[in-house]
mmCIF file of all heavy atoms in Angstrom:
data_model
loop_
_atom_site.group_PDB
_atom_site.id
_atom_site.type_symbol
_atom_site.label_atom_id
_atom_site.label_comp_id
_atom_site.label_asym_id
_atom_site.label_seq_id
_atom_site.Cartn_x
_atom_site.Cartn_y
_atom_site.Cartn_z
ATOM 1 N N GLN A 1070 27.672 1.148 9.332
ATOM 2 C CA GLN A 1070 27.388 1.433 10.740
ATOM 3 C C GLN A 1070 28.337 0.636 11.643
ATOM 4 O O GLN A 1070 28.912 1.167 12.591
ATOM 5 C CB GLN A 1070 25.932 1.053 11.044
ATOM 6 C CG GLN A 1070 25.402 1.586 12.366
ATOM 7 C CD GLN A 1070 25.047 3.063 12.268
ATOM 8 O OE1 GLN A 1070 24.435 3.479 11.304
ATOM 9 N NE2 GLN A 1070 25.447 3.851 13.254
ATOM 10 N N GLU A 1071 28.536 -0.633 11.309
ATOM 11 C CA GLU A 1071 29.437 -1.485 12.101
ATOM 12 C C GLU A 1071 30.853 -0.931 12.067
ATOM 13 O O GLU A 1071 31.560 -0.922 13.076
ATOM 14 C CB GLU A 1071 29.474 -2.903 11.507
ATOM 15 C CG GLU A 1071 28.420 -3.836 12.047
ATOM 16 C CD GLU A 1071 28.494 -5.186 11.351
ATOM 17 O OE1 GLU A 1071 29.579 -5.811 11.385
ATOM 18 O OE2 GLU A 1071 27.481 -5.578 10.730
ATOM 19 N N PHE A 1072 31.266 -0.503 10.886
ATOM 20 C CA PHE A 1072 32.611 0.032 10.732
ATOM 21 C C PHE A 1072 32.779 1.267 11.617
ATOM 22 O O PHE A 1072 33.798 1.438 12.302
ATOM 23 C CB PHE A 1072 32.851 0.376 9.259
ATOM 24 C CG PHE A 1072 34.227 0.900 8.989
ATOM 25 C CD1 PHE A 1072 35.338 0.084 9.146
ATOM 26 C CD2 PHE A 1072 34.421 2.212 8.580
ATOM 27 C CE1 PHE A 1072 36.622 0.573 8.910
ATOM 28 C CE2 PHE A 1072 35.696 2.696 8.338
ATOM 29 C CZ PHE A 1072 36.802 1.874 8.504
ATOM 30 N N ALA A 1073 31.742 2.133 11.612
ATOM 31 C CA ALA A 1073 31.797 3.341 12.433
ATOM 32 C C ALA A 1073 31.924 2.967 13.909
ATOM 33 O O ALA A 1073 32.665 3.590 14.666
ATOM 34 C CB ALA A 1073 30.546 4.185 12.204
ATOM 35 N N THR A 1074 31.186 1.937 14.319
ATOM 36 C CA THR A 1074 31.220 1.502 15.714
ATOM 37 C C THR A 1074 32.614 1.002 16.086
ATOM 38 O O THR A 1074 33.122 1.283 17.168
ATOM 39 C CB THR A 1074 30.184 0.382 15.923
ATOM 40 O OG1 THR A 1074 28.957 0.811 15.356
ATOM 41 C CG2 THR A 1074 29.994 0.069 17.385
ATOM 42 N N GLU A 1075 33.233 0.284 15.162
ATOM 43 C CA GLU A 1075 34.580 -0.235 15.401
ATOM 44 C C GLU A 1075 35.596 0.905 15.515
ATOM 45 O O GLU A 1075 36.500 0.886 16.342
ATOM 46 C CB GLU A 1075 34.957 -1.165 14.237
ATOM 47 C CG GLU A 1075 36.356 -1.704 14.359
ATOM 48 C CD GLU A 1075 36.339 -3.219 14.318
ATOM 49 O OE1 GLU A 1075 35.289 -3.809 14.665
ATOM 50 O OE2 GLU A 1075 37.337 -3.792 13.936
ATOM 51 N N LEU A 1076 35.389 1.893 14.649
ATOM 52 C CA LEU A 1076 36.331 3.007 14.572
ATOM 53 C C LEU A 1076 36.216 3.918 15.794
ATOM 54 O O LEU A 1076 37.204 4.419 16.323
ATOM 55 C CB LEU A 1076 36.025 3.800 13.293
ATOM 56 C CG LEU A 1076 37.185 4.375 12.506
ATOM 57 C CD1 LEU A 1076 38.202 3.294 12.196
ATOM 58 C CD2 LEU A 1076 36.660 4.982 11.209
ATOM 59 N N TYR A 1077 35.000 4.155 16.218
ATOM 60 C CA TYR A 1077 34.754 5.070 17.341
ATOM 61 C C TYR A 1077 33.892 4.382 18.389
ATOM 62 O O TYR A 1077 32.730 4.736 18.578
ATOM 63 C CB TYR A 1077 34.065 6.344 16.845
ATOM 64 C CG TYR A 1077 34.978 7.228 16.053
ATOM 65 C CD1 TYR A 1077 35.108 7.061 14.689
ATOM 66 C CD2 TYR A 1077 35.718 8.223 16.685
ATOM 67 C CE1 TYR A 1077 35.968 7.851 13.948
ATOM 68 C CE2 TYR A 1077 36.589 9.011 15.954
ATOM 69 C CZ TYR A 1077 36.705 8.832 14.586
ATOM 70 O OH TYR A 1077 37.560 9.608 13.886
ATOM 71 N N PRO A 1078 34.451 3.403 19.064
ATOM 72 C CA PRO A 1078 33.622 2.615 19.998
ATOM 73 C C PRO A 1078 33.004 3.465 21.104
ATOM 74 O O PRO A 1078 31.857 3.261 21.477
ATOM 75 C CB PRO A 1078 34.595 1.580 20.564
ATOM 76 C CG PRO A 1078 35.949 2.036 20.183
ATOM 77 C CD PRO A 1078 35.831 2.943 19.026
ATOM 78 N N ALA A 1079 33.759 4.454 21.615
ATOM 79 C CA ALA A 1079 33.237 5.259 22.723
ATOM 80 C C ALA A 1079 32.027 6.067 22.289
ATOM 81 O O ALA A 1079 30.988 6.087 22.959
ATOM 82 C CB ALA A 1079 34.331 6.173 23.256
ATOM 83 N N ASP A 1080 32.151 6.733 21.149
ATOM 84 C CA ASP A 1080 31.042 7.558 20.657
ATOM 85 C C ASP A 1080 29.833 6.701 20.340
ATOM 86 O O ASP A 1080 28.693 7.077 20.591
ATOM 87 C CB ASP A 1080 31.457 8.309 19.392
ATOM 88 C CG ASP A 1080 32.397 9.446 19.727
ATOM 89 O OD1 ASP A 1080 32.645 9.646 20.932
ATOM 90 O OD2 ASP A 1080 32.861 10.114 18.798
ATOM 91 N N ALA A 1081 30.090 5.543 19.787
ATOM 92 C CA ALA A 1081 28.981 4.680 19.394
ATOM 93 C C ALA A 1081 28.224 4.206 20.625
ATOM 94 O O ALA A 1081 27.011 4.070 20.605
ATOM 95 C CB ALA A 1081 29.499 3.483 18.611
ATOM 96 N N ARG A 1082 28.985 3.984 21.732
ATOM 97 C CA ARG A 1082 28.333 3.511 22.940
ATOM 98 C C ARG A 1082 27.411 4.575 23.535
ATOM 99 O O ARG A 1082 26.295 4.313 23.914
ATOM 100 C CB ARG A 1082 29.372 3.057 23.955
ATOM 101 C CG ARG A 1082 28.930 1.789 24.693
ATOM 102 C CD ARG A 1082 29.982 1.240 25.593
ATOM 103 N NE ARG A 1082 31.048 2.111 25.712
ATOM 104 C CZ ARG A 1082 32.353 1.974 25.387
ATOM 105 N NH1 ARG A 1082 32.752 1.112 25.027
ATOM 106 N NH2 ARG A 1082 33.297 2.770 25.462
ATOM 107 N N SER A 1083 27.924 5.801 23.612
ATOM 108 C CA SER A 1083 27.089 6.848 24.227
ATOM 109 C C SER A 1083 25.943 7.265 23.304
ATOM 110 O O SER A 1083 24.998 7.899 23.730
ATOM 111 C CB SER A 1083 27.941 8.050 24.611
ATOM 112 O OG SER A 1083 28.364 8.730 23.457
ATOM 113 N N GLY A 1084 26.073 6.907 22.032
ATOM 114 C CA GLY A 1084 24.978 7.192 21.107
ATOM 115 C C GLY A 1084 24.836 8.672 20.810
ATOM 116 O O GLY A 1084 25.664 9.492 21.203
ATOM 117 N N THR A 1085 23.782 9.011 20.103
ATOM 118 C CA THR A 1085 23.520 10.410 19.791
ATOM 119 C C THR A 1085 22.124 10.718 20.275
ATOM 120 O O THR A 1085 21.192 10.851 19.513
ATOM 121 C CB THR A 1085 23.643 10.661 18.275
ATOM 122 O OG1 THR A 1085 24.855 10.077 17.830
ATOM 123 C CG2 THR A 1085 23.665 12.134 17.963
ATOM 124 N N ASP A 1086 21.970 10.789 21.582
ATOM 125 C CA ASP A 1086 20.640 11.052 22.131
ATOM 126 C C ASP A 1086 20.490 12.511 22.512
ATOM 127 O O ASP A 1086 19.438 13.100 22.355
ATOM 128 C CB ASP A 1086 20.412 10.187 23.378
ATOM 129 C CG ASP A 1086 20.445 8.711 23.028
ATOM 130 O OD1 ASP A 1086 20.078 8.402 21.883
ATOM 131 O OD2 ASP A 1086 20.846 7.914 23.875
ATOM 132 N N GLU A 1087 21.586 13.059 23.042
ATOM 133 C CA GLU A 1087 21.493 14.451 23.491
ATOM 134 C C GLU A 1087 22.040 15.360 22.420
ATOM 135 O O GLU A 1087 23.237 15.425 22.177
ATOM 136 C CB GLU A 1087 22.299 14.607 24.780
ATOM 137 C CG GLU A 1087 21.560 14.035 25.945
ATOM 138 C CD GLU A 1087 21.718 14.907 27.172
ATOM 139 O OE1 GLU A 1087 21.933 16.133 27.018
ATOM 140 O OE2 GLU A 1087 21.659 14.357 28.274
ATOM 141 N N VAL A 1088 21.136 16.058 21.757
ATOM 142 C CA VAL A 1088 21.532 16.927 20.666
ATOM 143 C C VAL A 1088 21.219 18.365 21.046
ATOM 144 O O VAL A 1088 20.136 18.662 21.537
ATOM 145 C CB VAL A 1088 20.769 16.559 19.373
ATOM 146 C CG1 VAL A 1088 21.133 17.502 18.252
ATOM 147 C CG2 VAL A 1088 21.050 15.121 18.982
ATOM 148 N N VAL A 1089 22.196 19.235 20.861
ATOM 149 C CA VAL A 1089 21.954 20.657 21.094
ATOM 150 C C VAL A 1089 22.154 21.381 19.769
ATOM 151 O O VAL A 1089 23.191 21.223 19.131
ATOM 152 C CB VAL A 1089 22.921 21.225 22.149
ATOM 153 C CG1 VAL A 1089 22.697 22.719 22.320
ATOM 154 C CG2 VAL A 1089 22.742 20.495 23.462
ATOM 155 N N ILE A 1090 21.149 22.131 19.367
ATOM 156 C CA ILE A 1090 21.251 22.904 18.139
ATOM 157 C C ILE A 1090 21.347 24.373 18.545
ATOM 158 O O ILE A 1090 20.506 24.865 19.307
ATOM 159 C CB ILE A 1090 20.031 22.680 17.236
ATOM 160 C CG1 ILE A 1090 19.910 21.199 16.901
ATOM 161 C CG2 ILE A 1090 20.125 23.524 15.979
ATOM 162 C CD1 ILE A 1090 18.561 20.813 16.341
#
Side-chain angles (χ1 to χ4, degrees):
Chain A
Q1070 194 77 44
E1071 271 177 57
F1072 182 66
T1074 311
E1075 177 124 335
L1076 218 53
Y1077 288 89
D1080 286 357
R1082 220 174 9 242
S1083 71
T1085 312
D1086 297 330
E1087 284 220 27
V1088 177
V1089 177
I1090 301 164

